[in-house]
mmCIF file of all heavy atoms in Angstrom:
data_model
loop_
_atom_site.group_PDB
_atom_site.id
_atom_site.type_symbol
_atom_site.label_atom_id
_atom_site.label_comp_id
_atom_site.label_asym_id
_atom_site.label_seq_id
_atom_site.Cartn_x
_atom_site.Cartn_y
_atom_site.Cartn_z
ATOM 1 N N ALA D 120 -6.405 -5.476 3.677
ATOM 2 C CA ALA D 120 -6.349 -5.942 5.042
ATOM 3 C C ALA D 120 -5.166 -6.886 5.225
ATOM 4 O O ALA D 120 -4.442 -6.843 6.259
ATOM 5 C CB ALA D 120 -7.643 -6.583 5.435
ATOM 6 N N GLU D 121 -4.954 -7.787 4.315
ATOM 7 C CA GLU D 121 -3.865 -8.750 4.409
ATOM 8 C C GLU D 121 -2.512 -8.081 4.327
ATOM 9 O O GLU D 121 -1.588 -8.399 5.073
ATOM 10 C CB GLU D 121 -4.004 -9.841 3.289
ATOM 11 C CG GLU D 121 -5.168 -10.777 3.514
ATOM 12 C CD GLU D 121 -5.497 -11.612 2.275
ATOM 13 O OE1 GLU D 121 -5.026 -11.232 1.133
ATOM 14 O OE2 GLU D 121 -6.188 -12.614 2.421
ATOM 15 N N LEU D 122 -2.398 -7.086 3.473
ATOM 16 C CA LEU D 122 -1.121 -6.320 3.367
ATOM 17 C C LEU D 122 -0.863 -5.512 4.636
ATOM 18 O O LEU D 122 0.264 -5.387 5.036
ATOM 19 C CB LEU D 122 -1.178 -5.412 2.140
ATOM 20 C CG LEU D 122 -1.028 -6.110 0.802
ATOM 21 C CD1 LEU D 122 -1.240 -5.068 -0.330
ATOM 22 C CD2 LEU D 122 0.343 -6.721 0.664
ATOM 23 N N LYS D 123 -1.919 -4.966 5.174
ATOM 24 C CA LYS D 123 -1.744 -4.201 6.452
ATOM 25 C C LYS D 123 -1.240 -5.099 7.552
ATOM 26 O O LYS D 123 -0.335 -4.710 8.328
ATOM 27 C CB LYS D 123 -3.082 -3.554 6.874
ATOM 28 C CG LYS D 123 -2.989 -2.647 8.089
ATOM 29 C CD LYS D 123 -4.310 -2.010 8.433
ATOM 30 C CE LYS D 123 -4.111 -1.036 9.629
ATOM 31 N NZ LYS D 123 -3.631 -1.714 10.844
ATOM 32 N N GLU D 124 -1.769 -6.313 7.603
ATOM 33 C CA GLU D 124 -1.367 -7.236 8.677
ATOM 34 C C GLU D 124 0.040 -7.742 8.454
ATOM 35 O O GLU D 124 0.881 -7.756 9.385
ATOM 36 C CB GLU D 124 -2.318 -8.437 8.706
ATOM 37 C CG GLU D 124 -1.972 -9.441 9.843
ATOM 38 C CD GLU D 124 -2.898 -10.615 9.861
ATOM 39 O OE1 GLU D 124 -3.909 -10.600 9.093
ATOM 40 O OE2 GLU D 124 -2.691 -11.558 10.671
ATOM 41 N N SER D 125 0.430 -8.100 7.212
ATOM 42 C CA SER D 125 1.725 -8.690 6.926
ATOM 43 C C SER D 125 2.826 -7.624 6.928
ATOM 44 O O SER D 125 3.981 -7.898 7.223
ATOM 45 C CB SER D 125 1.713 -9.436 5.614
ATOM 46 O OG SER D 125 1.341 -8.592 4.545
ATOM 47 N N SER D 126 2.479 -6.349 6.575
ATOM 48 C CA SER D 126 3.538 -5.305 6.490
ATOM 49 C C SER D 126 3.772 -4.576 7.821
ATOM 50 O O SER D 126 4.858 -4.084 8.010
ATOM 51 C CB SER D 126 3.109 -4.261 5.434
ATOM 52 O OG SER D 126 1.970 -3.533 5.856
ATOM 53 N N GLY D 127 2.741 -4.526 8.634
ATOM 54 C CA GLY D 127 2.872 -3.816 9.889
ATOM 55 C C GLY D 127 2.781 -2.349 9.745
ATOM 56 O O GLY D 127 3.083 -1.552 10.659
ATOM 57 N N LEU D 128 2.437 -1.841 8.557
ATOM 58 C CA LEU D 128 2.364 -0.417 8.272
ATOM 59 C C LEU D 128 1.017 0.135 8.736
ATOM 60 O O LEU D 128 -0.010 -0.549 8.811
ATOM 61 C CB LEU D 128 2.496 -0.165 6.775
ATOM 62 C CG LEU D 128 3.808 -0.578 6.116
ATOM 63 C CD1 LEU D 128 3.721 -0.435 4.608
ATOM 64 C CD2 LEU D 128 4.945 0.258 6.657
ATOM 65 N N THR D 129 1.042 1.408 9.052
ATOM 66 C CA THR D 129 -0.251 2.104 9.369
ATOM 67 C C THR D 129 -1.080 2.208 8.089
ATOM 68 O O THR D 129 -0.529 2.211 6.972
ATOM 69 C CB THR D 129 0.003 3.462 9.945
ATOM 70 O OG1 THR D 129 0.669 4.300 8.982
ATOM 71 C CG2 THR D 129 0.884 3.431 11.199
ATOM 72 N N ARG D 130 -2.388 2.354 8.287
ATOM 73 C CA ARG D 130 -3.248 2.471 7.111
ATOM 74 C C ARG D 130 -2.911 3.621 6.194
ATOM 75 O O ARG D 130 -2.800 3.466 4.962
ATOM 76 C CB ARG D 130 -4.724 2.521 7.541
ATOM 77 C CG ARG D 130 -5.723 2.449 6.423
ATOM 78 C CD ARG D 130 -7.137 2.385 6.950
ATOM 79 N NE ARG D 130 -7.390 1.125 7.599
ATOM 80 C CZ ARG D 130 -7.811 0.030 7.041
ATOM 81 N NH1 ARG D 130 -8.034 0.052 5.692
ATOM 82 N NH2 ARG D 130 -8.010 -1.070 7.705
ATOM 83 N N PRO D 131 -2.632 4.856 6.739
ATOM 84 C CA PRO D 131 -2.241 6.002 5.872
ATOM 85 C C PRO D 131 -0.974 5.748 5.064
ATOM 86 O O PRO D 131 -0.905 6.049 3.886
ATOM 87 C CB PRO D 131 -2.079 7.157 6.822
ATOM 88 C CG PRO D 131 -2.956 6.780 8.024
ATOM 89 C CD PRO D 131 -2.831 5.316 8.169
ATOM 90 N N THR D 132 0.035 5.132 5.753
ATOM 91 C CA THR D 132 1.294 4.863 5.074
ATOM 92 C C THR D 132 1.075 3.814 3.979
ATOM 93 O O THR D 132 1.592 3.929 2.888
ATOM 94 C CB THR D 132 2.344 4.385 6.073
ATOM 95 O OG1 THR D 132 2.608 5.409 7.050
ATOM 96 C CG2 THR D 132 3.660 4.030 5.352
ATOM 97 N N LEU D 133 0.294 2.792 4.307
ATOM 98 C CA LEU D 133 0.040 1.726 3.354
ATOM 99 C C LEU D 133 -0.697 2.283 2.123
ATOM 100 O O LEU D 133 -0.327 1.997 0.967
ATOM 101 C CB LEU D 133 -0.805 0.619 4.001
ATOM 102 C CG LEU D 133 -1.147 -0.594 3.116
ATOM 103 C CD1 LEU D 133 0.128 -1.268 2.607
ATOM 104 C CD2 LEU D 133 -1.965 -1.580 3.907
ATOM 105 N N TYR D 134 -1.701 3.094 2.355
ATOM 106 C CA TYR D 134 -2.404 3.748 1.248
ATOM 107 C C TYR D 134 -1.505 4.581 0.341
ATOM 108 O O TYR D 134 -1.552 4.528 -0.870
ATOM 109 C CB TYR D 134 -3.529 4.633 1.781
ATOM 110 C CG TYR D 134 -4.854 3.956 2.035
ATOM 111 C CD1 TYR D 134 -5.477 4.033 3.244
ATOM 112 C CD2 TYR D 134 -5.525 3.249 0.987
ATOM 113 C CE1 TYR D 134 -6.694 3.441 3.483
ATOM 114 C CE2 TYR D 134 -6.734 2.642 1.225
ATOM 115 C CZ TYR D 134 -7.362 2.741 2.476
ATOM 116 O OH TYR D 134 -8.551 2.147 2.691
ATOM 117 N N ARG D 135 -0.622 5.311 0.984
ATOM 118 C CA ARG D 135 0.286 6.209 0.251
ATOM 119 C C ARG D 135 1.229 5.351 -0.635
ATOM 120 O O ARG D 135 1.449 5.695 -1.806
ATOM 121 C CB ARG D 135 1.082 7.078 1.229
ATOM 122 C CG ARG D 135 2.122 7.955 0.568
ATOM 123 C CD ARG D 135 2.689 8.935 1.541
ATOM 124 N NE ARG D 135 3.245 8.303 2.749
ATOM 125 C CZ ARG D 135 4.458 7.725 2.765
ATOM 126 N NH1 ARG D 135 5.211 7.732 1.691
ATOM 127 N NH2 ARG D 135 4.905 7.203 3.897
ATOM 128 N N LEU D 136 1.835 4.338 -0.067
ATOM 129 C CA LEU D 136 2.795 3.493 -0.824
ATOM 130 C C LEU D 136 2.083 2.731 -1.936
ATOM 131 O O LEU D 136 2.614 2.615 -3.054
ATOM 132 C CB LEU D 136 3.496 2.528 0.127
ATOM 133 C CG LEU D 136 4.367 3.186 1.200
ATOM 134 C CD1 LEU D 136 5.028 2.099 2.045
ATOM 135 C CD2 LEU D 136 5.480 4.038 0.562
ATOM 136 N N LEU D 137 0.908 2.222 -1.644
ATOM 137 C CA LEU D 137 0.166 1.457 -2.703
ATOM 138 C C LEU D 137 -0.189 2.436 -3.838
ATOM 139 O O LEU D 137 -0.104 2.038 -5.012
ATOM 140 C CB LEU D 137 -1.074 0.804 -2.093
ATOM 141 C CG LEU D 137 -0.873 -0.368 -1.204
ATOM 142 C CD1 LEU D 137 -2.167 -0.782 -0.522
ATOM 143 C CD2 LEU D 137 -0.281 -1.547 -1.986
ATOM 144 N N ALA D 138 -0.639 3.624 -3.520
ATOM 145 C CA ALA D 138 -1.007 4.583 -4.528
ATOM 146 C C ALA D 138 0.167 4.936 -5.409
ATOM 147 O O ALA D 138 0.063 5.081 -6.622
ATOM 148 C CB ALA D 138 -1.630 5.835 -3.883
ATOM 149 N N SER D 139 1.352 5.107 -4.725
ATOM 150 C CA SER D 139 2.544 5.434 -5.492
ATOM 151 C C SER D 139 2.970 4.341 -6.446
ATOM 152 O O SER D 139 3.296 4.559 -7.616
ATOM 153 C CB SER D 139 3.699 5.700 -4.487
ATOM 154 O OG SER D 139 4.908 6.002 -5.174
ATOM 155 N N LEU D 140 2.948 3.099 -5.959
ATOM 156 C CA LEU D 140 3.272 1.933 -6.796
ATOM 157 C C LEU D 140 2.282 1.786 -7.950
ATOM 158 O O LEU D 140 2.703 1.432 -9.073
ATOM 159 C CB LEU D 140 3.258 0.658 -5.913
ATOM 160 C CG LEU D 140 4.450 0.541 -4.942
ATOM 161 C CD1 LEU D 140 4.172 -0.643 -3.965
ATOM 162 C CD2 LEU D 140 5.739 0.281 -5.700
ATOM 163 N N GLU D 141 1.010 2.050 -7.671
ATOM 164 C CA GLU D 141 -0.005 1.913 -8.720
ATOM 165 C C GLU D 141 0.152 2.977 -9.791
ATOM 166 O O GLU D 141 0.003 2.710 -10.966
ATOM 167 C CB GLU D 141 -1.361 1.928 -8.068
ATOM 168 C CG GLU D 141 -2.492 1.473 -9.035
ATOM 169 C CD GLU D 141 -3.820 1.209 -8.304
ATOM 170 O OE1 GLU D 141 -3.932 1.521 -7.087
ATOM 171 O OE2 GLU D 141 -4.755 0.746 -8.981
ATOM 172 N N THR D 142 0.490 4.186 -9.356
ATOM 173 C CA THR D 142 0.698 5.323 -10.264
ATOM 174 C C THR D 142 1.854 5.018 -11.254
ATOM 175 O O THR D 142 1.762 5.333 -12.410
ATOM 176 C CB THR D 142 0.948 6.599 -9.501
ATOM 177 O OG1 THR D 142 -0.125 6.944 -8.721
ATOM 178 C CG2 THR D 142 1.264 7.727 -10.493
ATOM 179 N N GLU D 143 2.869 4.395 -10.690
ATOM 180 C CA GLU D 143 4.065 4.038 -11.551
ATOM 181 C C GLU D 143 3.898 2.743 -12.348
ATOM 182 O O GLU D 143 4.780 2.359 -13.109
ATOM 183 C CB GLU D 143 5.292 3.885 -10.611
ATOM 184 C CG GLU D 143 5.735 5.176 -9.927
ATOM 185 C CD GLU D 143 6.131 6.211 -10.943
ATOM 186 O OE1 GLU D 143 6.639 5.849 -11.979
ATOM 187 O OE2 GLU D 143 5.956 7.441 -10.627
ATOM 188 N N GLY D 144 2.715 2.109 -12.195
ATOM 189 C CA GLY D 144 2.482 0.875 -12.971
ATOM 190 C C GLY D 144 3.187 -0.336 -12.471
ATOM 191 O O GLY D 144 3.284 -1.316 -13.141
ATOM 192 N N LEU D 145 3.690 -0.246 -11.208
ATOM 193 C CA LEU D 145 4.391 -1.401 -10.641
ATOM 194 C C LEU D 145 3.466 -2.415 -9.986
ATOM 195 O O LEU D 145 3.846 -3.576 -9.843
ATOM 196 C CB LEU D 145 5.445 -0.932 -9.628
ATOM 197 C CG LEU D 145 6.516 0.019 -10.148
ATOM 198 C CD1 LEU D 145 7.419 0.491 -9.095
ATOM 199 C CD2 LEU D 145 7.281 -0.654 -11.301
ATOM 200 N N ILE D 146 2.261 -1.982 -9.648
ATOM 201 C CA ILE D 146 1.250 -2.894 -9.137
ATOM 202 C C ILE D 146 -0.073 -2.510 -9.774
ATOM 203 O O ILE D 146 -0.228 -1.408 -10.292
ATOM 204 C CB ILE D 146 1.096 -2.894 -7.619
ATOM 205 C CG1 ILE D 146 0.661 -1.495 -7.084
ATOM 206 C CG2 ILE D 146 2.388 -3.334 -6.915
ATOM 207 C CD1 ILE D 146 0.237 -1.542 -5.617
ATOM 208 N N GLU D 147 -1.045 -3.414 -9.692
ATOM 209 C CA GLU D 147 -2.377 -3.116 -10.171
ATOM 210 C C GLU D 147 -3.398 -3.609 -9.169
ATOM 211 O O GLU D 147 -3.216 -4.631 -8.487
ATOM 212 C CB GLU D 147 -2.654 -3.867 -11.520
ATOM 213 C CG GLU D 147 -1.719 -3.444 -12.641
ATOM 214 C CD GLU D 147 -1.845 -4.323 -13.857
ATOM 215 O OE1 GLU D 147 -2.611 -5.314 -13.761
ATOM 216 O OE2 GLU D 147 -1.212 -4.017 -14.876
#
């Protein structure tokens, strides 16, 4: 929720980017 508010991204876009970053091991 905090990332959605600070990024201004839509929920689908945010989910997609977070999933991509997590898959690459850049975030956890």
Side-chain angles (χ1 to χ4, degrees):
E121 289 167 342
L122 286 173
K123 184 177 183 301
E124 181 179 356
S125 58
S126 69
L128 297 172
T129 63
R130 188 173 292 272
T132 299
L133 181 59
Y134 271 126
R135 176 171 55 81
L136 296 180
L137 287 172
S139 177
L140 288 169
E141 194 167 5
T142 298
E143 295 297 329
L145 300 178
I146 64 169
E147 297 172 356

